[in-house]
Amino acid sequence: MVRYAAIDIGSNAVRLMIADITQEDGKYGYKKNTLVRVPLRLGDDAFLDQKISLRKANDLVKTMVAFKNLMDVYQVSAYLACATSAMREATNGADLIARVKAEAGLDLEIIHGQREANIIYHNHIEENLDIHKSYLYIDVGGGSTELSVFVNKIPVASRSFDIGTIRILDNQDKEETWEEMRVWIKEQTKDHKNLMGIGTGGNINKMFKLSKEKEGTPLSFLKLKSLYNHLNNHSLKERIQILGLNPDRADVIIPAAEIFITVLKWTGIKQLHVPRVGLADGIINLLIEENLE
């Protein structure tokens, strides 16, 4: 059994996904075996102080040691560990990478926004797209939002913006970045009629689950808006106690919904497909491509 691992060091949470590689009719795929998520919130340090505090740095190193041990137990043959927005902005990001290498024996790569978008492409969502429609792909994270426009199943434009859920909670999102994003979206989508949306990230996955829509059916803009209102009418405490959200999801889900709603408003998109994949899935697909195909 060939096993690969993906490590996603995000601004909100750090994830390890171990996947069993499958082969059918000459085509490689994968089955998720193990998923571990640790809500470290590196973004709080990075966006407010521009550096990761010693406490969080220690927690990250301990988490990486645990991930390395799990990967050894599962006999993982290839892995890729990517750090995104928070580590990109932390002035001590490079020092932390050296510490992780020395203490956990793992190679981490701090990836820029474009590489992040490219890895997410490896989920090959375009294979299931309608060739007659154009799509705006929206991936919302803790520190950034990655946007890509697909026409005839081909990505024609892509950009990363420093707008994310942790950044908004910490009041570190800038007015001019929102405006930049609005202008870019208008410019890139103005010639495309019947635009559809694709949404990825932990928060939109959770909202899709809460919507009780059938797997594979799109989430309508109206449904998303009413879900947001429903969540927003509850306090943080109520979202945890009454709605059953994890504490580290209950706060970020509100700004995530706001990002999606804003982008859909700017484009007039009425429906959002939620394929329930993310960076970790993209990493596994990339590893398959690099090692097997």
Side-chain angles (χ1 to χ4, degrees), residues 140-209:
V140 173
S144 62
T145 294
E146 270 66 50
L147 298 172
S148 306
V149 180
F150 281 84
V151 179
N152 299 332
K153 299 192 177 190
I154 296 164
V156 294
S158 167
R159 183 120 175 239
S160 177
F161 293 91
D162 286 342
I163 289 172
T165 58
I166 302 289
R167 220 183 271 273
I168 291 172
L169 284 180
D170 291 341
N171 291 314
Q172 296 302 305
D173 56 318
K174 296 186 171 75
E175 196 70 46
E176 55 266 37
T177 315
W178 280 98
E179 181 55 18
E180 230 175 276
M181 185 160 86
R182 189 188 69 81
V183 169
W184 186 87
I185 287 172
K186 293 280 187 198
E187 189 54 38
Q188 299 301 332
T189 62
K190 67 175 193 289
D191 298 330
H192 306 303
K193 299 283 169 276
N194 298 331
L195 199 64
M196 298 282 281
I198 299 169
T200 56
N203 289 297
I204 196 68
N205 289 349
K206 188 67 190 173
M207 283 184 268
F208 186 83
K209 212 171 166 186

Side-chain angles (χ1 to χ4, degrees), residues 5-255:
I7 296 175
D8 168 9
I9 298 163
S11 306
N12 186 25
V14 176
R15 295 173 189 81
L16 166 70
M17 184 165 104
I18 295 174
D20 298 335
I21 308 309
T22 60
Q23 191 181 10
E24 205 177 310
D25 304 330
K27 273 193 79 171
Y28 289 99
Y30 68 94
K31 195 170 160 290
K32 290 180 192 181
N33 179 314
T34 303
L35 186 63
V36 183
R37 180 179 180 277
V38 185
L40 287 187
R41 288 264 160 118
L42 298 177
D44 280 338
D45 287 359
F47 307 142
L48 290 168
D49 306 321
Q50 279 64 61
K51 65 181 296 215
I52 308 291
S53 65
L54 183 60
R55 186 176 68 80
K56 288 211 175 173
N58 290 342
D59 284 349
L60 178 65
V61 172
K62 283 179 198 161
T63 304
M64 292 302 114
V65 169
F67 283 4
K68 175 70 166 71
N69 287 335
L70 272 174
M71 285 158 59
D72 289 348
V73 170
Y74 278 97
Q75 297 177 336
V76 164
S77 56
Y79 76 93
L80 182 59
C82 296
T84 57
S85 212
M87 290 279 278
R88 275 200 290 271
E89 284 189 33
T91 52
N92 59 342
D95 298 342
L96 206 39
I97 280 183
R99 252 194 87 182
V100 168
K101 177 69 176 166
E103 295 178 43
L106 287 175
D107 292 303
L108 298 192
E109 180 191 339
I110 294 180
I111 58 173
H112 52 78
Q114 189 56 59
R115 167 116 164 109
E116 190 173 343
N118 291 346
I119 291 173
I120 294 166
Y121 286 163
H122 281 85
N123 288 314
H124 300 302
I125 288 166
E126 76 282 356
E127 288 173 5
N128 304 315
L129 304 184
D130 182 337
I131 199 150
H132 303 297
K133 291 197 171 86
S134 301
Y135 293 83
L136 178 65
Y137 192 135
I138 311 152
D139 181 75
V140 173
S144 62
T145 294
E146 270 66 50
L147 298 172
S148 306
V149 180
F150 281 84
V151 179
N152 299 332
K153 299 192 177 190
I154 296 164
V156 294
S158 167
R159 183 120 175 239
S160 177
F161 293 91
D162 286 342
I163 289 172
T165 58
I166 302 289
R167 220 183 271 273
I168 291 172
L169 284 180
D170 291 341
N171 291 314
Q172 296 302 305
D173 56 318
K174 296 186 171 75
E175 196 70 46
E176 55 266 37
T177 315
W178 280 98
E179 181 55 18
E180 230 175 276
M181 185 160 86
R182 189 188 69 81
V183 169
W184 186 87
I185 287 172
K186 293 280 187 198
E187 189 54 38
Q188 299 301 332
T189 62
K190 67 175 193 289
D191 298 330
H192 306 303
K193 299 283 169 276
N194 298 331
L195 199 64
M196 298 282 281
I198 299 169
T200 56
N203 289 297
I204 196 68
N205 289 349
K206 188 67 190 173
M207 283 184 268
F208 186 83
K209 212 171 166 186
L210 291 170
S211 77
K212 298 196 164 55
E213 289 289 359
K214 214 166 90 239
E215 199 72 49
T217 58
L219 189 60
S220 74
F221 173 74
L222 291 174
K223 189 83 181 242
L224 180 61
K225 194 111 195 308
S226 80
L227 195 56
Y228 165 70
N229 291 335
H230 174 62
L231 290 165
N232 213 13
N233 285 336
H234 289 79
S235 67
L236 179 61
K237 201 172 167 188
E238 288 170 343
R239 273 177 246 143
I240 297 165
Q241 292 178 349
I242 300 169
L243 303 180
L245 294 180
N246 286 341
D248 64 290
R249 177 71 66 210
D251 54 356
V252 289
I253 202 164
I254 297 294

Side-chain angles (χ1 to χ4, degrees), residues 263-284:
V263 170
L264 296 189
K265 260 190 197 155
W266 284 341
T267 52
I269 290 173
K270 300 278 186 285
Q271 293 195 310
L272 189 70
H273 291 274
V274 184
R276 317 261 302 259
V277 293
L279 186 69
D281 302 84
I283 289 172
I284 299 291

